[in-house]
Structures are given as C-alpha cells and as structure tokens.
Amino acid sequence: MNSKIINFIKKKNKSKIISLTAYSKNIASIIDKHCDLVLVGDSLGSVLYNFSSTKKVTLDMMIEHSKSVRMGVKKSLMVVDMPHNTYRTSREALRNAKKMISKTKCDAVKLEGGIKIVQIIKTLIKNKIPVMGHLGVLPQSATNFKFKGKETKERKTILRDSKLLEEAGVFSIVLECVESSLAKEITKMINIPTIGIGASVHCDGQVLVTDDLIGLNKMKVRFVKRYSNIEKQINDAALKFKKDVVTSKFPTKKHSY
Ligand code: KIV
C-alpha cells in the first residue's frame, strides 16, 4: 500500500476526512486545498450530461474528466469511479482499472457493491490497484434511492458486506444513504475509514457532490447542504457582461490591441 493511502487510513479516529467531487481541473484545484480526497464521481453523468442515471457513463468519459482533474489535484488522494459495466468480471475489471490508472494517474478506483464483487476487488488489490468500496444506495444498479438499513435483513447484509470489503483489502468505504445507527455500527466495527453521504455524522468522513455544495445543481435531496449560490454569481456576471457589450462599455481600449 502506498504511503498516501496509509496516511489516509491513519486519519480514522483522529480527524474527520473531507471529500468532494470534481469533474475538471479548475474546480479540482480549488477544493484540493481543503480536501483529503477528491473523487471523480460517475455522478458526472447526471450532473453534467443530464443522464437519467449513472449507467450510461463510459470508461472514456471518466478517463477524460479524470485527466483534467489530475491537473488540479496536488495534495489530496484522487479516486476515480469505475463506471457501470466496466468491472463485471475480474478480467474486465483489471483491464479497465489498469487503463484508468495508467491514463489518469489517479491514486485509486472506487467500485460499487458488496459480496458480489469481492473476488473482483481482491483481483485488483492483488495487482496493486488500491480500491475504495461503496455500499448502501448503489446508483449504478439502484432501482430506487430509498435509504438503506431500515429492515433487519438489509442491515445484516450491509454489515456483512462492510466486513467482507475490509477483509478484501479496500482502504475505505463510501456509505451512501445508510441509516444513522447502522453507519455508526459499521464505522465502529471496521478499521478503515467510512465516508458518508447521507449516512450521518457518525462516519469517519463526509463527501458531497461539489455542484450540489455550490448551488450549481438543482437536485433537492435531504443529505445535500448548499454552502454557496454560484448560479447567482454566474448569472449576475453574464448579465453585466451582456449590458456592457450592448452599451459598448466592453471591450475598452484596455482590453483591445
Ligand atoms: O458518483 C459520485 O459522485 C459518488 C459520490 C456521491 C459518493 O459516488
């Protein structure tokens, strides 16, 4: 395991882990200063491309966005989502994860799922590819986005999967929309950091989609807190630009050759 990942794991029980998503260089370089982990999430499918789910996101899309993000991330761990249908078998996963790492120079990949993908995860880790897990709501296969962990059977499955992923060697697990007391139990039970999104304050860290954080994405979900309204700022700037152009206040001599 490389030292960046070892240091990341050591944050458990010491300090909260901060994570945000980035899909391009400029945003990545701003958030990098404040994050421990920058995630190139396949949420870019719905956020940027208006796809109805993340299922249509391709490996090439993730690679191109990650290459851009790589230019902005200097200090944080950079993790990239392996998109839907790119890790159906160990062979396919290894081929695609190797391509992802070599083309983007990311530090690790993230895969969604529990018991069904344990062997695949083990293959990647055996081949020195660091893997982050993702349990709870799994957008690549979800039929609904209801939080997980209300029913006893579901709780047991997620608990078991957390343990299995830890044993398989993942360095951290994202818990998406997991009931609070279950997220707490998992976080206590495993020795690697849990990163919550809609999974309570009990996780070792938190992740949000940056477009949600800054008010660029209109999606209204319970777990999102908006910290800024960038939409208004962009709108105001575009409006001022339009007025200046219409009234010939821009460009001035200063902006001309
Ligand atoms: O795709 C994504 O952005 C994610 C986060 C929401 C955890 O997986």
Side-chain angles (χ1 to χ4, degrees), residues 97-110:
K98 273 185 173 170
K99 186 172 174 187
M100 181 67 83
I101 302 254
S102 72
K103 296 245 178 214
T104 72
K105 310 283 178 264
C106 64
D107 297 300
V109 293
K110 175 162 80 62

Side-chain angles (χ1 to χ4, degrees), residues 165-251:
L165 290 192
E166 181 184 25
E167 283 165 5
V170 304
F171 68 90
S172 177
I173 303 176
V174 166
L175 296 178
E176 178 162 350
C177 298
V178 169
E179 189 275 331
S180 303
S181 67
L182 177 59
K184 187 175 182 180
E185 201 177 337
I186 295 168
T187 302
K188 273 199 168 163
M189 179 185 72
I190 61 178
N191 297 304
I192 49 170
T194 57
I195 310 295
I197 176 159
S200 87
V201 71
H202 302 298
C203 294
D204 298 302
Q206 294 294 326
V207 59
L208 273 184
V209 169
T210 299
D211 293 60
D212 292 337
L213 174 102
I214 62 178
L216 259 189
N217 198 23
K218 289 285 159 340
M219 199 175 62
K220 280 203 171 70
V221 270
R222 185 183 171 111
F223 61 75
V224 168
K225 182 172 173 187
R226 191 168 285 178
Y227 285 83
S228 170
N229 190 354
I230 283 291
E231 193 204 0
K232 186 177 177 328
Q233 290 181 40
I234 295 174
N235 183 67
D236 291 351
L239 189 66
K240 275 189 199 153
F241 167 71
K242 181 181 167 185
K243 276 188 187 156
D244 281 359
V245 172
V246 167
T247 57
S248 297
K249 279 191 185 151
F250 177 82

